[in-house]
Amino acid sequence: MLKTLSKIGLLVAALAVGTAWLVVLRLKDVPAPLLTVYGLLLAGSVVGSLWPDVLGRLSTRRRVLAFLGVPAGLGTLGLYLAVVYYVTDLPVLLALAAAACLVWAAAALLRGRWAAGVRGARPSRRAFLLGGGGLALGVLSGLSVDLAERQRRAALARGEPERQAAVRTPGARRRIVDDAVRVFPIHTGDTIVTYGQFYGGLDGWEGLNGYVRTLVDKAQIAVPVYAYLIDHPRHGFMLVDTGVNWEQAHDHDGYYDMTSRLLTERDEYRMSPGQDLRVHLARLGYDAKEITTVFLTHVHDDHAGGLRYLPQATVVMDRRDWEHGVSYPYSFDLVKDKLSFPAFNSGAFGAFPTGQDHFGDGSLILLPTPGHSPGHMCVLLRMDVGGVLFMGDTLYTLPHLAVDQVRQMTIGGADTIHQIEAARRIQKLLASDPGTVPLFAHDNTRYQSDLVAAAFDQGVLGKEGLRELRTHMEAVLTPDWRLRPGHTPHYVAPASGTGLGRVEFR
């Protein structure tokens, strides 16, 4: 009875893992007919290994292995190589093969001794060959580490001439040195997301259900990823977020580990040489090495990727995000010892019950806005004319300020409640202070592409730029934060039926 229950447990576990693997392969666009045949081979080999007599003529485990197990194993290897494999996996694969050979050799040796019934029986030839093969594969695994890393570095180095050419193209500026507070939007490429993830928070895109839909829904759009450079006459050169980096866009599989690759797409990010953070800074007259402080709204990798270029900077972020947020260690590897966690003990600030006056002079206020991540925060900067509120991902775009009509995917439960509360506090702040304008990390409307770009072309928010931004806000949103006609987002599918769609506002 116990043996049967154990087999049933193994069967359930194996089928669960197999089903998850098939789902991942389908998400990677492997054809359904191929997956059907492959799934039958997997199921048959598992069942046949546990109960060989169930499969009739394949009534022994040896036959099940030969006719079902081997094809299923080869299929697994082939599909993995086709949709997941990357060169940095080579040492791991060789190490796994080495371990398998050594285990098999040990099993063969023990079986031979048991069969002979003599403690001093000579090792079998099979055990000797398997052991030797395992040791050889182990050596190859060690040797391949450097080979794989060199190949990856060479692939990345091929982008360096393009970036240098982008720095030298006409239009680069000299840094303006005066007493003005300047802000420069930096477009660090685009991220490919599902339309529902971006705009479907009121249509069921919430929590686990929303996450699953992001994996299977193919209605995708490209949205920008922005960081912001602050040139402050008293506090130096700072960034709000850092965007994505060149490796994320051009070496996605090498940048992320195997698990991350299973659940993401290789074209998740796209970036031209001119959109590289280092190129942007150079063309504005700055150097990445001059950045002293990064205010990270949250730990997600499309906001933290550029930290790889800023090992000298102090990174200011909410402790809750560092301890409980979804972060990728490689992005933080060079700055993990230079983190600064605000205490949020400067008292209430408008609609916010607490905040952090970072420099102690009222020039930059950190505002906790949890929900999108456990420790998400917004950054309020006072400029010579008015102020700017860096939104991070609390709200993606200007239309998202109409939070009861347009909403991004939320985590669900208490996190959704917190995020909506944060959005309403932002509404009150903007309503009470007509001299403050929001700046978004992913705005794909003309507010960002036309008006913000024009207002901050020289980095200084003048009276005219402030007026135009606030006027546009009032043209899009009513005083009670509803969308006016002509500003509701709609998904437009690509004409060919495949590829990226676009967003129209009607």
Side-chain angles (χ1 to χ4, degrees):
M1 181 65 177
L2 183 60
K3 184 177 181 180
T4 302
L5 290 176
S6 299
K7 286 186 175 183
I8 293 174
L10 287 173
L11 176 65
V12 171
L15 291 180
V17 172
T19 300
W21 173 235
L22 290 173
V23 170
V24 168
L25 292 174
R26 187 66 190 114
L27 296 178
K28 300 292 184 180
D29 295 323
V30 176
L34 176 60
L35 287 183
T36 300
V37 174
Y38 171 63
L40 291 173
L41 284 173
L42 281 180
S45 60
V46 170
V47 173
S49 297
L50 296 172
W51 292 283
D53 53 316
V54 171
L55 299 181
R57 295 181 64 181
L58 301 176
S59 57
T60 66
R61 287 188 175 86
R62 187 184 295 271
R63 288 183 177 179
V64 170
L65 177 65
F67 292 100
L68 296 180
V70 170
L74 292 175
T76 300
L77 181 61
L79 289 167
Y80 164 76
L81 292 174
V83 301
V84 181
Y85 173 76
Y86 188 70
V87 64
T88 51
D89 293 347
L90 182 60
V92 177
L93 293 176
L94 289 172
L96 289 174
C101 285
L102 291 174
V103 170
W104 196 353
L109 180 62
L110 292 173
R111 183 179 180 182
R113 286 185 173 181
W114 178 80
V118 182
R119 286 180 57 85
R122 296 176 59 187
S124 69
R125 182 178 180 183
R126 177 183 297 178
F128 179 77
L129 292 174
L130 286 170
L135 292 175
L137 288 170
V139 172
L140 287 175
S141 174
L143 295 175
S144 68
V145 172
D146 184 61
L147 175 65
E149 187 57 31
R150 279 191 284 115
Q151 183 171 335
R152 181 168 178 255
R153 286 200 301 266
L156 288 171
R158 286 194 285 271
E160 186 59 27
E162 296 178 327
R163 291 194 296 275
Q164 292 302 321
V167 172
R168 295 190 297 268
T169 55
R173 306 177 182 183
R174 291 181 180 272
R175 184 193 305 173
I176 302 172
V177 181
D178 57 18
D179 292 330
V181 178
R182 283 183 159 77
V183 170
F184 295 98
I186 297 179
H187 181 193
T188 67
D190 298 330
T191 180
I192 310 303
V193 299
T194 55
Y195 175 82
Q197 176 186 351
F198 206 70
Y199 285 113
L202 294 172
D203 298 320
W205 291 72
E206 183 178 344
L208 179 60
N209 177 60
Y211 179 71
V212 172
R213 291 176 73 173
T214 65
L215 297 177
V216 300
D217 195 302
K218 297 301 180 182
Q220 295 179 318
I221 58 174
V223 298
V225 180
Y226 279 91
Y228 292 90
L229 170 67
I230 301 173
D231 181 345
H232 201 286
R234 297 193 304 278
H235 303 304
F237 309 126
M238 302 168 280
L239 283 170
V240 176
D241 292 333
T242 64
V244 297
N245 64 45
W246 186 264
E247 292 174 76
Q248 287 171 279
H250 295 275
D251 186 35
H252 183 275
D253 286 1
Y255 189 81
Y256 293 105
D257 60 29
M258 193 181 303
T259 302
S260 299
R261 269 184 269 139
L262 286 173
L263 300 176
T264 58
E265 297 189 25
R266 283 177 169 153
D267 61 353
E268 180 181 8
Y269 301 112
R270 61 187 189 186
M271 174 194 293
S272 68
Q275 292 172 333
D276 186 285
L277 177 65
R278 297 162 294 180
V279 174
H280 263 296
L281 292 173
R283 290 183 58 76
L284 290 169
Y286 300 84
D287 191 307
K289 296 177 182 178
E290 297 179 292
I291 304 299
T292 59
T293 307
V294 174
F295 298 100
L296 205 63
T297 61
H298 61 298
V299 294
H300 293 170
D301 225 26
D302 56 328
H303 295 253
L307 292 176
R308 294 292 302 173
Y309 310 140
L310 308 165
Q312 76 289 343
T314 297
V315 179
V316 181
M317 61 184 296
D318 192 312
R319 182 183 294 274
R320 292 170 295 181
D321 240 33
W322 178 246
E323 294 177 347
H324 305 294
V326 181
S327 63
Y328 291 91
Y330 188 62
S331 295
F332 288 88
D333 185 49
L334 300 179
V335 298
K336 61 187 178 184
D337 297 324
K338 302 195 71 175
L339 302 180
S340 175
F341 303 116
F344 295 109
N345 59 1
S346 298
F349 188 89
F352 289 84
T354 185
Q356 181 70 50
D357 184 350
H358 183 75
F359 294 111
D361 58 4
S363 62
L364 190 144
I365 309 295
L366 306 177
L367 301 170
T369 52
H372 180 78
S373 65
H376 191 288
M377 69 180 188
C378 291
V379 180
L380 177 63
L381 173 71
R382 292 302 182 192
M383 302 188 69
D384 302 317
V385 175
V388 292
L389 180 64
F390 300 98
M391 307 287 281
D393 280 0
T394 301
L395 299 167
Y396 284 158
T397 72
L398 185 65
H400 281 87
L401 276 164
V403 70
D404 294 319
Q405 291 176 283
V406 177
R407 190 177 300 173
Q408 67 241 47
M409 187 181 81
T410 56
I411 298 177
D415 292 306
T416 296
I417 294 172
H418 293 155
Q419 189 165 353
I420 303 308
E421 288 176 348
R424 300 204 190 285
R425 291 192 176 108
I426 289 170
Q427 290 175 344
K428 292 178 181 178
L429 187 154
L430 293 173
S432 65
D433 185 358
T436 296
V437 294
L439 294 181
F440 301 90
H442 300 294
D443 193 298
N444 63 339
T445 74
R446 65 177 296 265
Y447 175 77
Q448 182 80 31
S449 60
D450 296 345
L451 299 170
V452 169
F456 291 92
D457 181 60
Q458 298 298 317
V460 178
L461 179 62
K463 293 182 179 179
E464 182 63 21
L466 174 60
R467 185 190 65 79
E468 289 187 359
L469 289 173
R470 292 293 302 205
T471 298
H472 183 77
M473 285 178 58
E474 293 167 3
V476 173
L477 298 155
T478 65
D480 60 347
W481 304 102
R482 305 287 295 178
L483 287 176
R484 297 186 188 276
H487 296 285
T488 302
H490 294 271
Y491 176 72
V492 180
S496 63
T498 58
L500 298 178
R502 57 189 176 87
V503 182
E504 286 187 354
F505 296 89
R506 308 170 192 161

